[in-house]
Amino acid sequence: MFGLFKKKGGEAPEEQERPQKAADQEIRAGIHAMGQEFLPEELSVLAVTGPNPFGGGPREDGLWVASMGLTAWMEEDSPDIHREDIQLVTPADPRLLGFLRQRALPDFLIKFRARRSADGSQLLLLDLPQPGFDPDLKAILEEQKKPDSTYVEGLGTFVLNRQVGWYQADVDWLGQSIQLVYDRGSEEEMKSAQQTALALLGAREDWDGRARTYAAQQLPVQHPDLEDEMLEVPAEELARRLEPESLQVWPDGSFEFWFHDADYQWEHALRVRGTVDGGLDHVYLEG
């Protein structure tokens, strides 16, 4: 199918033929299984890839699938450019995933054959992608790669992290630097998230103490079955050792602190959630 394993100018070595055939059969079977979810028409596609590489894993039905986001695409024989986000998907084991990552880089122009899903949210990859070119898609690619930053009075300059879709800035939190982030969204949503951040940073000392105390006291209460060395120290000591590393805020006034061990003895992190108006409401042990 993909012809991944043949060398130019000749056949693959004999010792590789069996695993190659097995892999080809597995891929063909996967495409056959997924093919029922896609329209029968095959398209020749030119596309702009997004900021993230191919990733993959098993679906609920057990089929291992790789996918990658596209930010713009067009049929090779059509001038129409589609700008809605769409996923390029294909059945792929980890070995093929590595090969796909080499052939379809993030922020890149590629061409390939595909079939479109009925709801228009996915393209099923039918052959290995290769470098492509179109002047209009090239212009879109260059525009999407430009740095995106915004200055917020009282908070500083935020830079868009395109891989995760949020704006981030380093801000002062009681003499140390932490990362402050909010999701990319509408202008109204982002301004509301910024107001959440301003409310928290305007009362840093209060929120810092409340979050540490809440995390230390509520961790054993909310996770009674937890067995961890963090619970072996008194709550006051745990609260002292918690050090904030990031703060994420949302338009509805909710927020989330991430804490790590200031003494760097515990591998775990604590995630503490709450709202500006309602206070803290949950603590999670991560890692």
Side-chain angles (χ1 to χ4, degrees):
M1 193 206 80
F2 283 106
L4 297 185
F5 309 103
K6 293 184 178 180
K7 296 182 178 180
K8 289 185 178 180
E11 297 293 325
E14 182 177 348
E15 61 271 17
Q16 295 181 2
E17 286 184 358
R18 285 197 202 92
Q20 289 167 12
K21 288 180 180 179
D24 278 341
Q25 290 173 356
E26 183 177 344
I27 293 168
R28 289 176 184 274
I31 286 218
H32 178 74
M34 290 187 69
Q36 309 304 314
E37 306 164 22
F38 293 82
L39 301 175
E41 181 185 7
E42 294 190 8
L43 310 175
S44 181
V45 175
L46 290 162
V48 179
T49 63
N52 294 305
F54 262 104
R59 304 194 307 184
E60 290 185 1
D61 61 4
L63 180 64
W64 215 95
V65 174
S67 65
M68 182 186 203
L70 305 177
T71 57
W73 67 279
M74 63 189 297
E75 294 183 50
E76 198 167 18
D77 58 356
S78 170
D80 298 329
I81 297 177
H82 305 274
R83 296 298 303 271
E84 71 276 9
D85 289 341
I86 193 169
Q87 289 290 311
L88 179 61
V89 302
T90 188
D93 61 16
R95 178 176 53 173
L96 181 56
L97 176 61
F99 202 90
L100 289 170
R101 286 176 171 171
Q102 297 175 23
R103 298 291 293 265
L105 302 175
D107 292 327
F108 199 59
L109 287 174
I110 58 174
K111 67 177 182 178
F112 53 88
R113 290 188 307 111
R115 289 163 55 188
R116 194 173 187 180
S117 62
D119 63 4
S121 66
Q122 295 181 326
L123 289 171
L124 176 62
L125 182 66
L126 300 177
D127 61 359
L128 277 174
Q130 55 184 300
F133 179 77
D134 176 83
D136 294 326
L137 291 182
K138 178 67 173 177
I140 292 173
L141 174 60
E142 293 304 317
E143 183 65 27
Q144 82 177 24
K145 289 164 58 178
K146 289 181 180 179
D148 183 347
S149 63
T150 182
Y151 176 76
V152 181
E153 186 70 33
L155 297 176
T157 299
F158 288 80
V159 177
L160 176 65
N161 184 331
R162 295 179 51 245
Q163 291 188 314
V164 290
W166 68 36
Y167 285 90
Q168 59 190 49
D170 292 329
V171 299
D172 175 72
W173 186 268
L174 300 180
Q176 72 178 86
S177 178
I178 68 169
Q179 188 175 81
L180 175 63
V181 303
Y182 61 85
D183 292 334
R184 177 175 54 181
S186 68
E187 193 67 27
E188 181 180 358
E189 289 172 332
M190 292 190 293
K191 285 185 177 180
S192 295
Q194 293 161 12
Q195 290 302 312
T196 301
L198 287 167
L200 292 167
L201 269 69
R204 293 174 177 87
E205 189 168 351
D206 178 47
W207 281 110
D208 184 80
R210 290 169 64 182
R212 291 168 182 269
T213 300
Y214 179 87
Q217 293 178 347
Q218 289 297 311
L219 182 63
V221 175
Q222 296 183 19
H223 302 275
D225 298 328
L226 180 65
E227 295 183 5
D228 193 271
E229 59 181 336
M230 296 181 76
L231 301 181
E232 297 176 1
V233 300
E236 296 80 4
E237 173 68 7
L238 177 57
R240 182 195 66 79
R241 288 177 58 170
L242 293 179
E243 186 170 284
E245 60 184 34
S246 68
L247 170 62
Q248 185 166 4
V249 294
W250 285 274
D252 62 358
S254 60
F255 59 85
E256 187 173 271
F257 283 101
W258 281 79
F259 290 95
H260 66 267
D261 174 23
D263 293 344
Y264 294 98
Q265 295 181 12
W266 302 324
E267 296 181 359
H268 301 298
L270 290 182
R271 181 164 54 96
V272 182
R273 292 186 61 92
T275 64
V276 171
D277 293 333
L280 302 158
D281 56 39
H282 211 93
V283 58
Y284 305 86
L285 184 68
E286 304 290 349

